[in-house]
Amino acid sequence: MGSFQGGQAVEVRSADPGQERVRPVLVHLSPLPDTRNGIADYAAAILLDLIHDYECIAVVENPADVSDQIRSLCHVISYEQYHQIADDLRRERHLAHIGNNSDHIPILNVASAVPCVVVLHDLTLHYLMERWARDMFGSIQFFRATLWALHGARGADLVDAKHVHKWPVQSVYTELNCLPLLNETASALITHSHYGHVLAQSMGFSNPVRVVPHFARIPDADLKARRRAAFRRRHGIGPETVVFASLGFVTPNKIITEVLHALSDLPHGLSDWCYVIGGENRDPRVQ
């Protein structure tokens, strides 16, 4: 692999001796394995395809957490290192994966300064914006001002209800979204669904939008059945028990409290059921 030279393509020797080709630089912004983040594995699969056509610079929170395979195939640097050479990289292509958790705050900081092609993994981004406001500006008022600008007084009232008056409302996470902010940061948008495409355009996003369906390996029916049975045995869940599940990082927008209240209202005569919360707890109110 050739060495990185800011602001210009890098010469990379091909597998065929005597031939050389030039690959453009691509700055890739996303959590990567072995980081515990649901987007990391997806982003890694994309990155491992991109390295065939680009000289990839993967920017992550902690390069030591990235798998040896990825570090052997592309340049892996921290956000601190990126900002030291940001001026050299400003003219290069940037691809940013943005999801709705605090791991994406440093990505949002880069995307606010440099146009990026954004792969959008969530269609609201409220929890990310809330954490960004607190971590970067020390106050929820930036979040309030953002929702006022995007949705008027209704947006600001919902922020006040939850964060000032401490009312137990979660509609700020479900009824409004922050997608218009991407007009200022995204040169193009990739979404995983046609609903995301329509929603982005209805919110005023005017740059190109493309739908790239999310990919996953779906096991055959027998394998799925065996895995489900093994999970139930491991956790003492009977074969006829109905399982409710909340999956992913436990954050306020998972509305765990509301789910528990709803489950507590189920009639006593209902068939056997249990509730599984699968994911790292990032909400200190959920014990």
Side-chain angles (χ1 to χ4, degrees):
M1 176 180 292
S3 60
F4 167 67
Q5 301 168 18
Q8 55 186 303
V10 178
E11 290 189 357
V12 179
R13 192 171 300 280
S14 70
D16 184 2
Q19 292 186 358
E20 289 187 348
R21 64 188 178 94
V22 175
R23 293 189 300 187
V25 170
L26 174 69
V27 179
H28 182 277
L29 306 152
S30 177
L32 291 171
D34 296 321
T35 301
R36 292 170 59 88
N37 187 300
I39 291 170
D41 289 329
Y42 179 92
I46 300 294
L47 177 62
L48 292 177
D49 271 344
L50 291 170
I51 60 174
H52 299 297
D53 299 302
Y54 296 94
E55 183 80 359
C56 291
I57 303 170
V59 188
V60 297
E61 188 74 31
N62 185 3
D65 291 339
V66 176
S67 69
D68 291 340
Q69 179 194 19
I70 294 174
R71 285 193 285 146
S72 70
L73 293 172
C74 65
H75 307 275
V76 180
I77 64 174
S78 67
Y79 287 97
E80 181 180 0
Q81 292 170 313
Y82 170 86
H83 289 298
Q84 291 173 358
I85 56 174
D87 288 342
D88 291 334
L89 294 173
R90 186 172 297 277
R91 295 190 299 276
E92 309 294 358
R93 296 169 173 88
H94 283 62
L95 178 67
H97 293 260
I98 293 184
N100 196 17
N101 61 68
S102 55
D103 290 352
H104 298 265
I105 290 174
I107 301 174
L108 202 58
N109 288 335
V110 174
S112 298
V114 181
C116 298
V117 174
V118 169
V119 183
L120 188 63
H121 292 270
D122 192 284
L123 298 178
T124 59
L125 302 181
H126 277 99
Y127 181 65
L128 170 64
M129 293 302 301
E130 175 189 324
R131 296 310 312 169
W132 191 46
R134 290 189 186 278
D135 290 359
M136 300 306 298
F137 304 100
S139 169
I140 204 66
Q141 290 307 309
F142 174 80
F143 182 46
R144 184 185 190 278
T146 298
L147 287 190
W148 178 285
L150 298 181
H151 300 287
R154 176 170 171 259
D157 287 346
L158 283 174
V159 174
D160 287 342
K162 179 171 177 56
H163 296 286
V164 178
H165 304 301
K166 306 299 181 181
W167 295 343
V169 297
Q170 301 290 350
S171 52
V172 66
Y173 296 117
T174 57
E175 295 184 17
L176 308 175
N177 69 62
C178 296
L179 297 187
L181 284 175
L182 296 177
N183 260 330
E184 306 299 324
T185 60
S187 57
L189 190 65
I190 295 172
T191 179
H192 298 310
S193 68
H194 293 288
Y195 173 69
H197 186 287
V198 171
L199 186 62
Q201 292 188 320
S202 69
M203 291 292 103
F205 186 78
S206 56
N207 291 329
V209 182
R210 295 291 183 270
V211 176
V212 178
H214 212 293
F215 54 83
R217 293 188 182 91
I218 301 176
D220 62 68
D222 287 342
L223 179 57
K224 286 179 68 175
R226 292 197 300 272
R227 287 178 174 174
R228 286 178 174 174
F231 177 88
R232 286 174 177 269
R233 287 194 302 271
R234 187 164 63 249
H235 295 282
I237 302 172
E240 303 301 321
T241 300
V242 176
V243 178
F244 299 95
S246 295
L247 306 176
F249 290 131
V250 178
T251 59
N253 58 317
K254 286 293 196 300
I255 58 173
I256 301 296
T257 300
E258 284 70 21
V259 173
L260 292 172
H261 282 307
L263 292 173
S264 71
D265 288 337
L266 292 175
H268 291 296
L270 202 66
S271 60
D272 190 24
W273 59 269
C274 72
Y275 179 38
V276 175
I277 302 172
E280 181 180 300
N281 187 7
R282 295 191 174 184
D283 187 348
R285 295 170 299 177
V286 178
Q287 302 298 324

